[in-house]
Amino acid sequence: MWIKKGLVFDVNKFLSPKIGSHASIPYCMYLNDDNFRIYFSSRSLDGKSYPYYIDAIIKNGKIKLKGKVVGPLLELGELGTFDDSGIMPSSIVKTNDKIYMYYIGWNPQVSVSYRLSIGLAISTDGGLTFKKAFEGPICDRTKEEPYFNTAPFVLKEGPCWKMWYISCTEWNNINEYPEPSYHVKYAESQDGINWIKEGIICIDYDIKAKAIGRPCVIKIKDQYNMYFSYRDTVDYRTVKGKGYQIGNASSVNGIDWKRNYEIDGLNLSDKGWDNMMMEYCHVFHHNGIQYMIYNGNNFGKDGFGYATK
């Protein structure tokens, strides 16, 4: 059973000209011993998204932040590029002496709210600094996926790189506002850069999940476990039970999944920072304890908290 531990990063304690609100899509990277680095994205006062990190000590079921917030780690792209309005870290992979940061790049649009793509930045100094691998995205809309790709989670298993990512399938005008629907697909790569996408759907729509947020996949022995967020497309910003909640799925091959929406301890709280939404989680193990860091109401406006199991 999961036990919620509360808000660990209160963004209101770290406000600055570049950090105006939010600490979204947290990802916790192991450094050494009990030392970790938590990457996340904050919004500036003019609504742009930038990547940051803060170090933490994780020990005996507790997360304690240490030091200052560092960043922005990357500058926005040139005018007209895929990430000229936002960069949001989504997944981190250590490979040899490099660290790959897969990130969400976004632009505002005219007919709909935004367009999302997947970018890559690389660190050669242990994750202290990053440099964009390319000015353009590594995964974007195509003739088969005409809307957007976003929110990847990547695992490297031997020579094979595996990606579970969000693919948008349509926009609909709901209450006179364009709302997207998206589900989880799967892709593979031999180098972590060039991806083969064959349209494999892992977590599709059902009566509960009308839109499915950034997946997190961990492998325990021979079984893959995925945590994802799901929501309705109507009134999900304002009505409890329609906004993001966290689901789970299991698989033996990483492609065919059996899902579960009833997870002990991960219900919406009665009050507080996660009483309306829970989303964008990252799950990891450390010294026999399972940790989940996640966002709450308003897509991480207050910051991020955690739970243990």
Side-chain angles (χ1 to χ4, degrees):
M1 177 177 176
W2 287 96
I3 300 173
K4 290 185 178 182
K5 299 292 187 175
L7 190 68
V8 66
F9 184 91
D10 183 348
V11 72
N12 294 300
K13 296 179 180 179
F14 298 91
L15 298 180
S16 70
K18 282 290 182 69
I19 301 179
S21 68
H22 292 75
S24 299
I25 316 186
Y27 186 101
C28 199
M29 184 183 78
Y30 175 75
L31 297 176
N32 55 60
D33 299 325
D34 296 320
N35 297 298
F36 287 76
R37 182 163 294 144
I38 304 176
Y39 295 91
F40 61 93
S41 171
S42 282
R43 295 185 193 178
S44 61
L45 294 175
D46 60 353
K48 309 292 187 181
S49 299
Y50 293 87
Y52 298 85
Y53 75 72
I54 188 167
D55 286 338
I57 296 174
I58 300 181
K59 186 176 182 179
N60 298 330
K62 296 181 179 180
I63 297 179
K64 183 178 180 180
L65 304 179
K66 66 175 185 177
K68 298 180 179 179
V69 172
V70 178
L73 302 176
L74 295 168
E75 292 301 322
L76 300 180
E78 296 294 328
L79 182 65
T81 57
F82 80 105
D83 57 359
D84 70 358
S85 296
I87 294 174
M88 308 175 74
S90 185
S91 187
I92 305 286
V93 177
K94 295 181 178 180
T95 175
N96 298 322
D97 59 346
K98 298 178 180 179
I99 295 175
Y100 281 22
M101 175 195 288
Y102 295 90
Y103 69 87
I104 302 163
W106 68 268
N107 308 97
Q109 299 290 285
V110 175
S111 57
V112 295
S113 308
Y114 49 79
R115 176 181 174 181
L116 306 173
S117 307
I118 298 172
L120 173 64
I122 298 175
S123 173
T124 57
D125 60 6
L128 296 172
T129 63
F130 286 84
K131 182 178 180 180
K132 293 180 185 179
F134 310 99
E135 291 301 310
I138 60 168
C139 290
D140 201 357
R141 59 190 186 187
T142 64
K143 62 182 184 297
E144 292 86 11
E145 294 179 296
Y147 298 100
F148 62 69
N149 292 169
T150 188
F153 195 91
V154 178
L155 291 180
K156 185 174 184 292
E157 297 185 348
C160 184
W161 297 66
K162 300 181 178 183
M163 176 192 288
W164 296 265
Y165 68 99
I166 300 303
S167 175
C168 180
T169 61
E170 63 180 350
W171 288 82
N172 289 296
N173 282 310
I174 298 174
N175 296 329
E176 300 183 350
Y177 189 82
E179 298 285 8
S181 294
Y182 36 80
H183 54 194
V184 179
K185 284 186 176 178
Y186 174 79
E188 288 189 355
S189 173
Q190 293 300 307
D191 59 10
I193 297 172
N194 300 288
W195 292 88
I196 299 172
K197 299 188 294 180
E198 297 182 338
I200 298 171
I201 300 171
C202 292
I203 306 293
D204 205 359
Y205 308 115
D206 64 14
I207 193 170
K208 280 183 173 288
K210 306 297 178 57
I212 303 155
R214 180 257 214 145
C216 168
V217 178
I218 56 175
K219 192 175 184 181
I220 303 174
K221 295 183 179 179
D222 294 325
Q223 180 169 284
Y224 295 89
N225 289 275
M226 180 190 296
Y227 289 86
F228 58 91
S229 42
Y230 65 94
R231 62 169 174 81
D232 205 327
T233 51
V234 179
D235 297 329
Y236 65 90
R237 294 178 179 87
T238 57
V239 177
K240 186 168 184 173
K242 291 195 171 186
Y244 273 125
Q245 299 181 66
I246 293 175
N248 173 252
S250 59
S251 172
V252 295
N253 59 10
I255 295 174
D256 303 299
W257 296 84
K258 180 179 180 180
R259 74 182 84 185
N260 172 35
Y261 292 119
E262 303 299 326
I263 307 175
D264 288 343
L266 292 184
N267 298 319
L268 297 174
S269 297
D270 293 332
K271 59 182 180 179
W273 71 283
D274 63 352
N275 71 321
M276 296 292 289
M277 290 184 184
M278 295 175 63
E279 71 280 308
Y280 309 149
C281 67
H282 179 217
V283 176
F284 58 97
H285 287 87
H286 180 56
N287 288 339
I289 298 175
Q290 199 165 10
Y291 295 82
M292 172 186 290
I293 53 175
Y294 67 95
N295 289 130
N297 301 342
N298 297 307
F299 317 102
K301 186 175 182 180
D302 295 317
F304 56 82
Y306 73 106
T308 61
K309 183 179 179 181

